[in-house]
Amino acid sequence: MIISMKLGATKEQIEDICKRIEDFGYRVHSIQGEERVVIAAVGTGDVTHCLESLRSYDSVESAVRISAPYKFVSRQYRLDRTQIAVGNTVVGGDEFVVIAGPCSVETEEQIMATAEAVASAGGKVLRGGAYKPRTSPYDFQGLEEEGLKLLRKAGDAHGLAVITEVMTVTNVNLVAEYTDILQIGARNVQNFPLLKAVGRVDRPVMLKRGLSSTIKELLLSAEYVVSHGNPNVILCERGIRTFETETRNVLDIQAVPVLNKLTHLPVVLDPAHSSGKRDLIPQIACACVAIGADGMMVETHPNPESAWSDGPQSLTFDGFKKMMDGLKPYLQIWQANRAVAVPS
Amino acid sequence: MIISMKLGATKEQIEDICKRIEDFGYRVHSIQGEERVVIAAVGTGDVTHCLESLRSYDSVESAVRISAPYKFVSRQYRLDRTQIAVGNTVVGGDEFVVIAGPCSVETEEQIMATAEAVASAGGKVLRGGAYKPRTSPYDFQGLEEEGLKLLRKAGDAHGLAVITEVMTVTNVNLVAEYTDILQIGARNVQNFPLLKAVGRVDRPVMLKRGLSSTIKELLLSAEYVVSHGNPNVILCERGIRTFETETRNVLDIQAVPVLNKLTHLPVVLDPAHSSGKRDLIPQIACACVAIGADGMMVETHPNPESAWSDGPQSLTFDGFKKMMDGLKPYLQIWQANRAVAVPS
Amino acid sequence: MIISMKLGATKEQIEDICKRIEDFGYRVHSIQGEERVVIAAVGTGDVTHCLESLRSYDSVESAVRISAPYKFVSRQYRLDRTQIAVGNTVVGGDEFVVIAGPCSVETEEQIMATAEAVASAGGKVLRGGAYKPRTSPYDFQGLEEEGLKLLRKAGDAHGLAVITEVMTVTNVNLVAEYTDILQIGARNVQNFPLLKAVGRVDRPVMLKRGLSSTIKELLLSAEYVVSHGNPNVILCERGIRTFETETRNVLDIQAVPVLNKLTHLPVVLDPAHSSGKRDLIPQIACACVAIGADGMMVETHPNPESAWSDGPQSLTFDGFKKMMDGLKPYLQIWQANRAVAVPS
Amino acid sequence: MIISMKLGATKEQIEDICKRIEDFGYRVHSIQGEERVVIAAVGTGDVTHCLESLRSYDSVESAVRISAPYKFVSRQYRLDRTQIAVGNTVVGGDEFVVIAGPCSVETEEQIMATAEAVASAGGKVLRGGAYKPRTSPYDFQGLEEEGLKLLRKAGDAHGLAVITEVMTVTNVNLVAEYTDILQIGARNVQNFPLLKAVGRVDRPVMLKRGLSSTIKELLLSAEYVVSHGNPNVILCERGIRTFETETRNVLDIQAVPVLNKLTHLPVVLDPAHSSGKRDLIPQIACACVAIGADGMMVETHPNPESAWSDGPQSLTFDGFKKMMDGLKPYLQIWQANRAVAVPS
């Protein structure tokens, strides 16, 4: 920790602070600058509590930690990148994994047709919501367990792993029964009881970044899951909220190389939710491959114009196929690069 | 709804869209502008589904609703403002309600001393967290039921109503047993299962705006609670996330008059979480009264420097007392204005 | 400066960095933490250049300065607050200064009538644009020098000081001839040649915060003006850009107490540009007084519905009068507080 | 225009509004909805002034334009994409144009060495600042005309076109003498006198998006340049300001396909300013090619650790060469796609 004292802090105040720091088990180095005193604290202890305490003193200007606030998810903790096997693919491995499907599971016919379209175009994981987080209480809220069954059936029929969102602690076990990956939605990225609950099950988790989560907060949310026992977390950047309104959100594509420096967890992108517009997705998808993400999630629906949700950002089957065809040359480069990447 | 067709939309495409709108039960007015066709849809129907569907057509440039997406919380639905009795005060009534207490309930001694300080300085509601949403899994997570008991005891001993946060559906009934107001934290503002659950209990709810919630989204979250049966919702603006880092968040004080135009629900402000800095709070508190809010929530602790959480933004008892004294002349104006306000 | 070395930085890299710092004239304190080495640099030197250099090394994780990057505008540089006399009032003195007038000077009749309305309701400074920054090239761009003359005439006729915006270096002298305060608009807050130019004239400057300026950047822009010779700078918070769309901008009212801690310069607020909506302004204005600002700027127009610009946020004369009447009790508190404020 | 009347607007108010709209030369269609009246205005007139006027009426809830507020820069105005020849390349043509060079021109040796490195690795345009916009008045402000001469000399010696920033109206002609492309920096994106001035010279302009410019505002700024006579504008997305602090800014890569739908002007990206970190740039650069931009600008310096500005985001010559090598397979796809793109 580095603690900057206020201008004009007295000798007594500085000694008080040094003593307080030592009470937490740290050693202190006090440095007299031109303007003010800066104290460096070295050691191990309850850093969060210590920082909060120091910031509460009127004599302290600021107190910042130097070490990362997360442990298990950091690059230092684990040298090789986490690989997560689902169905017949591996997220974080030597394949760019495309996850696709409707926003919501609506009918058996719809999800079966979609699974076929996804599988035949090269997708590896089938998505489909059974419990839907909707901003308005008057919007369709999902088929619930019936939706889970249909999703599982469709995935099995076409050799696809399946992913679906879980929204509440009480449903975690039920949803985990039917799905290969538990999705935590952007709105629940700091729903800590839910993070703990999915940390206790034996199912990979895909954690979506919140609309205004910093990258550090996203990693701390992942740390909740991992520290409760579940090491298999996939991070998903899906666009952040800014002042721009031409697109639904702004895709923070730079987050991919940043996360690759900070964590060993795999990272996927969601250009459907970031753009909100079907016609933009194929071009953005190319950039998602080129930036070096581990995969991508998009929405596809047999008839977007009659979808119960997210129609404007859902690709038709034909559009999905064309997007996948357009990705092929980029995927070749991706695989060539991945093949030579030394585990670091 | 107003639907703008793309430039160059064909006659067939326009007819398709009109037919689609009529299928949802609306009447259409098609208007040929200089550049493009605009369609107005009038009537009642499943507006969300209809909008999503229309936006899914390639021939449609945009489709927007004119009516508000919420109903029960709107100013039109209820002409007088909602008044919520808690303890010996009324939120939304003729008193500016000050809610105060520690971030977390820590010990019986701490919460009893705080209750006394709050009551003697004029506070009406005691706050204190028993279940804490912490960004890091390694931070203090709260005393849980023991904390609830201590909070209740302290409130009762000093004639204060109490408020505490509920973080998960499974705890709603337990927390409701001990508290007068259930707080939904900023991170759970779109935790829809939780909103539904607190909508089903007979306890007032204070709903905090999310870090990046729009005012409209906040009202839609309130609509979840009210539409599930609980009309007693207090809205709380607690700062939004922006690029500025001098303060923890930016207090959107303009949200108060905006909300007063849009909804009949009471509105309180939280200058502790918006500023994050103890020394700024007394001055901001004056503005919170002057803007016409129904109340305010702050943090106070017997010894902020040893608080288990939020020490930097916690007032000492002496600081709390001084803040309350500084508010007095503003509260006189507040009450004079409130007395003449005609219910509108 | 505090420099954090990367995890695993070698002894040679650390020595290189220490040497580099010493080359800039600083003394170094190297501290071996549990995880990494942190270096404190003490002394005086070209801190910006040194920081940029250090951050360019691959072995450096981060390098931050401890001292403020501005000097003349800081609270440390000058203990009493800056008071700026304009016309028959003083900004930063013992009067809350209301600046009002139309967005643009349109006609002699319009500006004369407005000056009368402003003066009779208690305003002290008349605003009016002669050169208008308009987002679209097709919008009204101002009456230019003719507008300056009319503004001056109207101010003189009613005993008001006048303020108007200057947009380009070549106009600074001309505008300074006619006006008492030169306004630098939000869009020009980092137009450095313009800041230097107004730094060289003998006229107070009102500097508006940019839509996405941090408070620190605003102070650095003020430092441009002051360091070029003009100490009379008024800072104006006028709303920042966020994701919220109910209001034109979000008024960062907390910036007032923050700025009062950091700088001796006076601070005014602009609730017209922050809200963008006439009916919200009177309530926000009360909060502008209560937060302890030195003044406030609003727009008023004889007939907002036919204003050439900013009509939606312009008060009618009657509305302006009512707002001023509503402020009276708050102004009494303001003055009582100001009277006892010890210069610090 | 679509005008929504307030709930409860009277017949007289509605008629007033209709009359006001007709006075501006539009025809009106008044539509009685379930809740409120909506008026569509059709025709041509002074739309900005009319909208401002309507929004000023208390009886009007909202008034929005349907047509785009810009004309010359829109896709509708010009069917083929604008191609801008500079030096021996064409921006917007069949080559992905890499612009590179130091942040600032420092010495002849530095800029000559850089030009050689840029040219030999495949760059086509040399950048280098002679007038620098610096947040602090105490930072290096550029070599001015001497810098322009050195830049020109270096470009000529190595067959590169050159680009440099112009910051003030009075310098436009001077800078235009020495450079092939005039750069307008992010801080000047709404410096309207400067936009008009570069609109009157016969030199291509690269316009950088402001830190908080919307895409629409960027296009309106470009419209300033084009409407004053200069059709050759290159748009540059260089990262926007958000709450995220891991990178200097957030690169809005989705802006590329959005702009390609809205305008015929070429679009380049600047991953140096968006990321602020040298080690992230090569990976982001691949995405810049894949998203279909027309080019990219980066910084390179013989010795970033001693650069006078922007060292942390400057590539070494070796790093620049490696980045260019890494782009090669992506550039092949880019060119194959560009070859089949039918001008639309």
Side-chain angles (χ1 to χ4, degrees):
Chain A
M1 288 172 288
I2 300 291
I3 298 92
S4 297
M5 299 301 294
K6 284 227 171 97
L7 292 182
T10 64
K11 193 153 169 292
E12 288 67 35
Q13 288 175 321
I14 295 164
E15 286 170 2
D16 270 6
I17 295 299
C18 288
K19 177 149 188 344
R20 182 74 178 144
I21 297 170
E22 287 168 345
D23 288 348
F24 276 94
Y26 295 90
R27 281 166 291 122
V28 300
H29 299 252
S30 175
I31 298 152
Q32 176 67 53
E34 298 295 297
E35 284 189 348
R36 67 180 83 217
V37 167
V38 170
I39 301 166
V42 174
T44 52
D46 183 346
V47 58
T48 308
H49 194 184
C50 183
L51 283 170
E52 289 258 310
S53 174
L54 297 174
R55 289 173 186 149
S56 301
Y57 283 81
D58 287 333
S59 60
V60 169
E61 179 70 32
S62 68
V64 296
R65 73 186 295 162
I66 300 293
S67 58
Y70 40 80
K71 175 185 167 192
F72 295 119
V73 304
S74 76
R75 204 74 163 123
Q76 282 74 48
Y77 183 75
R78 182 170 167 176
L79 291 185
D80 57 326
R81 300 194 68 224
T82 292
Q83 302 201 339
I84 302 173
V86 284
N88 62 4
T89 190
V90 176
V91 181
D94 53 9
E95 182 175 44
F96 183 86
V97 176
V98 175
I99 305 167
C103 176
S104 305
V105 179
E106 298 170 4
T107 63
E108 177 161 359
E109 192 185 1
Q110 171 239 23
I111 194 68
M112 290 299 279
T114 306
E116 187 183 355
V118 169
S120 69
K124 294 292 174 172
V125 184
L126 180 67
R127 62 155 287 156
Y131 301 86
K132 296 304 303 174
R134 303 304 299 268
T135 305
S136 164
Y138 306 115
D139 296 348
F140 172 61
Q141 311 270 326
L143 291 186
E144 309 195 346
E145 189 170 358
E146 179 60 20
L148 296 175
K149 287 180 182 165
L150 293 175
L151 180 69
R152 181 77 266 166
K153 184 174 174 187
D156 288 347
H158 293 280
L160 298 169
V162 303
I163 180 172
T164 198
E165 180 166 351
V166 59
M167 285 171 62
T168 186
V169 170
T170 44
N171 275 351
V172 167
N173 288 330
L174 176 69
V175 176
E177 257 180 61
Y178 289 100
T179 192
D180 299 295
I181 310 176
L182 292 161
Q183 178 177 316
I184 301 291
R187 292 171 182 81
N188 282 320
V189 69
Q190 292 196 323
N191 181 335
F192 302 120
L194 184 59
L195 296 177
K196 292 177 190 174
V198 299
R200 292 191 201 100
V201 296
D202 182 24
R203 272 281 170 281
V205 170
M206 187 171 86
L207 180 63
K208 298 191 95 175
R209 184 180 182 182
L211 267 75
S212 61
S213 297
T214 61
I215 288 172
K216 188 174 283 177
E217 287 171 344
L218 175 63
L219 288 172
L220 279 164
S221 290
E223 184 85 358
Y224 259 96
V225 181
V226 176
S227 68
H228 281 79
N230 187 344
N232 293 316
V233 177
I234 303 159
L235 304 172
C236 179
E237 155 63 30
R238 43 76 77 207
I240 58 173
R241 181 164 276 185
T242 75
F243 56 84
E244 179 58 65
T245 57
E246 289 289 330
T247 47
R248 184 165 166 176
N249 294 291
V250 167
L251 182 69
D252 182 9
I253 203 166
Q254 295 184 150
V256 177
V258 169
L259 284 166
N260 285 344
K261 284 205 303 182
L262 298 176
T263 184
H264 51 81
L265 297 174
V267 181
V268 305
L269 293 166
D270 176 348
H273 283 83
S274 63
S275 68
K277 292 184 179 172
R278 185 194 310 146
D279 59 348
L280 300 176
I281 295 172
Q283 196 71 52
I284 304 169
C286 298
C288 294
V289 178
I291 198 69
D294 294 292
M296 181 177 70
M297 182 159 79
V298 295
E299 293 181 330
T300 184
H301 190 282
N303 185 4
E305 291 142 11
S306 62
W308 295 357
S309 49
D310 276 356
Q313 69 196 41
S314 296
L315 297 160
T316 60
F317 291 167
D318 186 49
F320 179 67
K321 176 78 168 59
K322 280 187 182 143
M323 180 198 78
M324 293 296 280
D325 287 346
L327 289 185
K328 279 180 188 166
Y330 295 99
L331 291 173
Q332 284 180 5
I333 308 174
W334 189 96
Q335 273 166 326
N337 289 341
R338 194 58 68 115
V340 300
V342 191
S344 62
Chain B
M1 288 172 289
I2 300 292
I3 298 92
S4 297
M5 300 299 294
K6 285 228 171 96
L7 293 182
T10 63
K11 194 153 169 291
E12 287 69 34
Q13 288 175 321
I14 295 163
E15 286 171 1
D16 269 6
I17 294 300
C18 288
K19 182 155 185 334
R20 182 73 179 146
I21 297 170
E22 287 167 345
D23 288 349
F24 276 93
Y26 295 91
R27 281 166 293 120
V28 299
H29 298 254
S30 174
I31 298 153
Q32 176 66 52
E34 298 296 297
E35 282 189 348
R36 66 179 84 218
V37 167
V38 171
I39 301 166
V42 174
T44 52
D46 182 348
V47 58
T48 308
H49 194 183
C50 182
L51 282 169
E52 288 259 310
S53 174
L54 296 175
R55 289 172 186 150
S56 301
Y57 283 81
D58 289 333
S59 61
V60 169
E61 179 70 31
S62 69
V64 294
R65 72 185 296 162
I66 300 294
S67 57
Y70 40 80
K71 174 184 167 194
F72 295 118
V73 303
S74 76
R75 204 77 163 120
Q76 282 75 48
Y77 182 75
R78 182 170 167 176
L79 290 185
D80 57 326
R81 300 193 69 222
T82 291
Q83 302 200 337
I84 301 174
V86 284
N88 62 2
T89 190
V90 176
V91 182
D94 52 11
E95 183 175 43
F96 183 86
V97 177
V98 175
I99 305 167
C103 176
S104 305
V105 179
E106 297 170 6
T107 64
E108 176 161 357
E109 192 186 2
Q110 171 240 23
I111 193 69
M112 290 299 279
T114 306
E116 187 184 354
V118 168
S120 70
K124 295 290 176 173
V125 183
L126 179 67
R127 63 155 287 155
Y131 301 86
K132 297 303 304 173
R134 303 303 301 268
T135 305
S136 163
Y138 305 116
D139 296 348
F140 172 60
Q141 311 271 325
L143 292 186
E144 309 196 346
E145 189 169 358
E146 179 59 19
L148 296 175
K149 286 179 183 167
L150 294 175
L151 181 69
R152 181 77 267 166
K153 184 175 174 186
D156 288 348
H158 294 280
L160 298 169
V162 302
I163 179 172
T164 199
E165 179 166 352
V166 58
M167 286 171 62
T168 186
V169 170
T170 43
N171 276 350
V172 168
N173 287 332
L174 176 69
V175 177
E177 257 179 62
Y178 290 99
T179 194
D180 299 295
I181 310 175
L182 292 162
Q183 178 177 317
I184 301 291
R187 293 171 182 81
N188 281 320
V189 69
Q190 292 197 322
N191 181 336
F192 302 119
L194 185 58
L195 295 177
K196 291 178 190 174
V198 298
R200 291 190 202 101
V201 296
D202 182 24
R203 272 284 169 282
V205 170
M206 187 171 85
L207 181 62
K208 299 192 93 174
R209 183 180 183 182
L211 268 74
S212 63
S213 296
T214 62
I215 289 173
K216 188 174 282 175
E217 286 169 345
L218 175 63
L219 288 171
L220 280 163
S221 290
E223 184 86 357
Y224 258 96
V225 181
V226 177
S227 68
H228 281 79
N230 187 344
N232 292 317
V233 177
I234 302 160
L235 303 173
C236 179
E237 156 63 28
R238 41 78 74 209
I240 57 174
R241 182 164 276 184
T242 74
F243 55 84
E244 179 57 65
T245 55
E246 289 288 332
T247 47
R248 184 165 165 175
N249 293 290
V250 168
L251 182 69
D252 182 8
I253 203 165
Q254 297 183 151
V256 177
V258 169
L259 284 166
N260 284 344
K261 285 205 302 181
L262 298 176
T263 184
H264 51 81
L265 296 174
V267 181
V268 304
L269 293 167
D270 176 348
H273 282 84
S274 63
S275 67
K277 291 184 178 173
R278 185 194 311 147
D279 59 346
L280 300 177
I281 294 172
Q283 197 69 54
I284 304 169
C286 298
C288 293
V289 178
I291 197 70
D294 294 293
M296 181 176 70
M297 183 159 79
V298 295
E299 291 180 330
T300 183
H301 189 282
N303 185 4
E305 292 142 11
S306 63
W308 295 359
S309 47
D310 276 356
Q313 69 197 39
S314 296
L315 298 161
T316 60
F317 292 167
D318 186 51
F320 179 66
K321 177 77 169 56
K322 281 189 183 140
M323 180 197 78
M324 293 297 280
D325 287 343
L327 289 185
K328 279 179 188 166
Y330 296 99
L331 290 172
Q332 284 179 4
I333 310 174
W334 190 96
Q335 272 167 326
N337 289 342
R338 194 58 68 115
V340 301
V342 192
S344 63
Chain C
M1 289 172 290
I2 300 292
I3 299 92
S4 297
M5 300 299 295
K6 285 225 171 99
L7 293 182
T10 63
K11 194 153 169 291
E12 288 69 34
Q13 288 174 321
I14 294 163
E15 286 171 1
D16 269 5
I17 295 300
C18 288
K19 180 152 186 341
R20 182 73 178 145
I21 297 170
E22 288 168 344
D23 288 348
F24 277 93
Y26 295 91
R27 281 166 293 122
V28 300
H29 298 253
S30 175
I31 299 152
Q32 176 66 54
E34 298 296 298
E35 281 190 348
R36 66 180 84 216
V37 168
V38 170
I39 301 166
V42 173
T44 52
D46 183 347
V47 57
T48 309
H49 194 182
C50 183
L51 283 169
E52 289 258 311
S53 173
L54 297 175
R55 289 174 186 149
S56 301
Y57 282 81
D58 288 333
S59 60
V60 169
E61 179 69 32
S62 68
V64 295
R65 72 185 295 163
I66 300 293
S67 57
Y70 40 80
K71 174 187 166 191
F72 296 117
V73 304
S74 76
R75 204 77 163 122
Q76 283 74 48
Y77 182 76
R78 182 172 167 174
L79 290 186
D80 57 325
R81 299 193 70 220
T82 292
Q83 303 200 340
I84 302 174
V86 285
N88 62 4
T89 191
V90 175
V91 182
D94 52 10
E95 182 175 43
F96 183 87
V97 177
V98 175
I99 305 167
C103 177
S104 304
V105 179
E106 297 170 6
T107 64
E108 178 163 354
E109 192 186 359
Q110 171 239 24
I111 193 69
M112 290 299 279
T114 306
E116 187 184 352
V118 168
S120 69
K124 295 291 175 172
V125 183
L126 180 67
R127 62 154 289 156
Y131 301 87
K132 298 302 306 172
R134 304 301 302 267
T135 306
S136 164
Y138 305 117
D139 296 348
F140 173 62
Q141 312 269 324
L143 290 186
E144 309 196 346
E145 190 171 357
E146 179 60 20
L148 296 175
K149 287 180 182 165
L150 294 174
L151 180 69
R152 180 78 266 166
K153 185 176 174 184
D156 288 346
H158 294 279
L160 298 169
V162 302
I163 180 172
T164 198
E165 180 167 353
V166 58
M167 286 171 61
T168 185
V169 170
T170 45
N171 276 350
V172 167
N173 287 330
L174 176 69
V175 177
E177 257 180 61
Y178 289 101
T179 192
D180 299 296
I181 310 175
L182 292 162
Q183 178 177 316
I184 301 291
R187 292 170 183 82
N188 281 319
V189 70
Q190 293 197 322
N191 181 337
F192 302 119
L194 185 59
L195 295 177
K196 292 178 190 173
V198 298
R200 293 190 201 99
V201 295
D202 181 24
R203 271 282 170 283
V205 170
M206 187 172 86
L207 181 62
K208 299 191 94 175
R209 183 180 183 182
L211 270 74
S212 62
S213 296
T214 62
I215 288 172
K216 187 174 282 177
E217 286 170 345
L218 175 63
L219 288 172
L220 280 164
S221 290
E223 183 85 357
Y224 260 96
V225 181
V226 177
S227 67
H228 282 79
N230 187 344
N232 293 316
V233 177
I234 302 159
L235 303 173
C236 179
E237 156 62 29
R238 42 76 76 208
I240 57 174
R241 182 164 276 183
T242 74
F243 56 84
E244 180 56 67
T245 57
E246 289 289 330
T247 47
R248 185 165 163 175
N249 294 290
V250 168
L251 182 69
D252 182 8
I253 203 165
Q254 296 183 151
V256 177
V258 170
L259 284 166
N260 285 344
K261 285 204 304 180
L262 298 176
T263 184
H264 52 82
L265 297 174
V267 181
V268 304
L269 292 167
D270 176 348
H273 283 84
S274 63
S275 68
K277 291 184 178 173
R278 185 194 310 145
D279 58 346
L280 300 176
I281 294 172
Q283 196 69 53
I284 304 170
C286 298
C288 293
V289 178
I291 197 69
D294 294 292
M296 180 177 70
M297 183 160 79
V298 296
E299 292 180 329
T300 183
H301 189 282
N303 185 3
E305 291 143 10
S306 62
W308 295 358
S309 47
D310 276 356
Q313 69 196 41
S314 295
L315 298 160
T316 60
F317 292 167
D318 186 51
F320 178 66
K321 175 78 169 60
K322 280 187 183 142
M323 180 197 78
M324 293 296 281
D325 287 344
L327 288 186
K328 278 178 189 168
Y330 295 100
L331 291 173
Q332 284 180 5
I333 309 174
W334 189 96
Q335 272 166 325
N337 288 342
R338 194 58 67 117
V340 299
V342 190
S344 60
Chain D
M1 288 172 289
I2 300 292
I3 297 91
S4 297
M5 300 300 294
K6 284 228 172 97
L7 292 183
T10 64
K11 195 154 168 291
E12 288 67 35
Q13 289 175 320
I14 294 164
E15 285 170 3
D16 269 5
I17 295 300
C18 288
K19 181 154 183 338
R20 182 75 178 145
I21 297 170
E22 287 167 346
D23 288 348
F24 276 92
Y26 294 91
R27 283 167 290 120
V28 300
H29 298 253
S30 174
I31 298 152
Q32 176 66 54
E34 298 296 297
E35 283 189 347
R36 65 180 85 217
V37 167
V38 171
I39 302 167
V42 174
T44 52
D46 183 347
V47 58
T48 307
H49 194 184
C50 182
L51 283 169
E52 288 258 310
S53 174
L54 297 174
R55 288 172 187 152
S56 300
Y57 283 81
D58 288 333
S59 61
V60 169
E61 179 70 31
S62 69
V64 294
R65 73 185 295 163
I66 299 294
S67 57
Y70 40 80
K71 175 185 165 192
F72 295 118
V73 303
S74 77
R75 203 77 163 125
Q76 282 76 47
Y77 182 76
R78 182 169 167 176
L79 291 186
D80 58 325
R81 301 194 68 223
T82 292
Q83 302 201 338
I84 301 174
V86 283
N88 62 3
T89 189
V90 176
V91 181
D94 52 10
E95 182 174 45
F96 183 86
V97 177
V98 175
I99 305 167
C103 176
S104 305
V105 179
E106 297 169 6
T107 64
E108 177 161 356
E109 193 186 359
Q110 171 239 24
I111 193 68
M112 290 299 280
T114 306
E116 187 183 353
V118 169
S120 70
K124 295 291 176 172
V125 184
L126 180 67
R127 64 155 285 155
Y131 301 87
K132 296 304 304 173
R134 302 303 301 267
T135 304
S136 164
Y138 306 116
D139 295 349
F140 172 61
Q141 311 270 325
L143 290 186
E144 309 196 348
E145 189 169 358
E146 179 59 21
L148 296 175
K149 285 180 183 165
L150 293 176
L151 181 69
R152 180 77 267 165
K153 185 174 173 188
D156 288 348
H158 294 280
L160 298 169
V162 303
I163 179 170
T164 198
E165 180 166 352
V166 59
M167 286 171 62
T168 186
V169 170
T170 44
N171 275 350
V172 168
N173 288 330
L174 177 70
V175 177
E177 257 180 60
Y178 289 99
T179 193
D180 299 294
I181 309 175
L182 292 162
Q183 178 177 318
I184 302 291
R187 292 170 184 81
N188 281 318
V189 69
Q190 292 197 322
N191 181 337
F192 302 120
L194 185 58
L195 296 177
K196 291 177 190 174
V198 298
R200 293 192 202 98
V201 295
D202 181 25
R203 269 285 170 282
V205 169
M206 186 170 87
L207 180 62
K208 298 192 95 174
R209 183 180 183 182
L211 268 74
S212 62
S213 297
T214 62
I215 289 172
K216 187 174 282 176
E217 287 170 343
L218 176 63
L219 289 171
L220 280 163
S221 290
E223 184 86 357
Y224 259 95
V225 181
V226 177
S227 68
H228 282 79
N230 187 344
N232 292 316
V233 177
I234 302 160
L235 304 172
C236 179
E237 155 64 27
R238 41 76 77 209
I240 57 174
R241 182 165 275 184
T242 74
F243 55 84
E244 180 58 65
T245 56
E246 289 289 331
T247 47
R248 183 166 166 175
N249 294 289
V250 168
L251 182 68
D252 182 9
I253 204 167
Q254 296 184 153
V256 177
V258 169
L259 284 167
N260 285 343
K261 284 206 302 183
L262 298 176
T263 184
H264 51 81
L265 297 173
V267 181
V268 304
L269 293 166
D270 176 348
H273 282 83
S274 63
S275 67
K277 291 185 178 172
R278 184 193 311 146
D279 60 345
L280 300 177
I281 295 173
Q283 197 69 53
I284 304 170
C286 298
C288 293
V289 178
I291 198 70
D294 294 293
M296 180 177 71
M297 182 158 80
V298 295
E299 292 180 329
T300 182
H301 190 281
N303 185 4
E305 291 142 12
S306 62
W308 296 358
S309 48
D310 276 356
Q313 68 197 42
S314 295
L315 298 161
T316 60
F317 292 167
D318 187 50
F320 178 66
K321 176 78 168 57
K322 280 189 184 141
M323 180 197 78
M324 293 297 280
D325 287 345
L327 289 186
K328 278 179 188 167
Y330 296 100
L331 290 173
Q332 284 180 4
I333 308 174
W334 189 97
Q335 273 168 323
N337 289 343
R338 195 57 69 114
V340 299
V342 191
S344 61

